[in-house]
Amino acid sequence: MAFFVRTLLLLFIKMILSVSCMEDSSSSAASAALPFDKTCPGSPAWTHAKCKMTVKFQQPCKTVISEINLRLTSPKWTDPHNRGTYTQLSSSRISPNHMLVKGSRLTGDGKYTDLFTFYTIEKSSSSSSEQCEVNACSESQVFSILDFSTNYCNLRNLYCNSKDGCAPVEYELDHEEIYVDCHQNKKQNCISAVISG
């Protein structure tokens, strides 16, 4: 009888430890960065233009996301790339260190809608100040090969600063772009509308 009770007790302890390990594992997974492709919007078109890049900011992610969201939603801001129409689809914190913004942009001529995402990864510099790394991704939703940097501009115009020729809503963002899969990336194409008043 004592042997049977001891065996049951050991099995119970193992079960508790197993559950604890699973919780620790899921917690670690929640705080780990998602693979780049998991945060891209995707497209129904097998062949389509896109831009995937990592953007490193000197400012904290909350500042970066705040400026991006302001440009997405503020009536005071005008898209300098042929006056396209941006729409914020969602903006949420998906883990303690990661935020995800989803949006769309209708081209100025009203013909095409692209989808894009910004996925943040909070960083700490050697000086202990917060910095932000963002996986940014924009994809055309129809068959396309050449987009004349439109997907690139979809992203860049939401964080570019006054030195780039852009008009920030509230925050000047210092940034460095690292192109992952973004072959059409002409900065001069992004500022193509005369903005007045």
Side-chain angles (χ1 to χ4, degrees), residues 57 60-61 97 121-125 128-133:
F57 295 91
C61 286
N97 297 321
I121 305 169
E122 200 81 55
K123 299 287 185 179
S124 295
S125 69
S128 297
S129 61
E130 289 184 346
Q131 296 180 334
C132 189
E133 187 171 294

Side-chain angles (χ1 to χ4, degrees), residues 61-62 91-100 120 122:
C61 286
K62 61 181 180 181
S91 180
S92 60
R93 182 173 292 278
I94 58 176
S95 76
N97 297 321
H98 307 104
M99 289 180 281
L100 180 63
T120 69
E122 200 81 55

Side-chain angles (χ1 to χ4, degrees), residues 20-36:
S20 176
C21 288
M22 288 174 63
E23 289 177 348
D24 290 343
S25 175
S26 62
S27 175
S28 298
S31 62
L34 291 172
F36 209 136

Side-chain angles (χ1 to χ4, degrees), residues 61-126:
C61 286
K62 61 181 180 181
T63 301
V64 173
I65 291 300
S66 178
E67 178 63 25
I68 289 173
N69 282 333
L70 282 170
R71 296 190 198 186
L72 284 172
T73 59
S74 174
K76 297 178 181 179
W77 184 78
T78 302
D79 174 24
H81 185 211
N82 298 319
R83 295 178 178 270
T85 302
Y86 280 93
T87 302
Q88 182 195 70
L89 301 178
S90 67
S91 180
S92 60
R93 182 173 292 278
I94 58 176
S95 76
N97 297 321
H98 307 104
M99 289 180 281
L100 180 63
V101 173
K102 297 180 180 181
S104 66
R105 178 182 177 273
L106 176 67
T107 54
D109 58 11
K111 291 183 177 180
Y112 305 104
T113 298
D114 302 322
L115 297 181
F116 60 83
T117 55
F118 290 91
Y119 176 70
T120 69
I121 305 169
E122 200 81 55
K123 299 287 185 179
S124 295
S125 69
S126 55

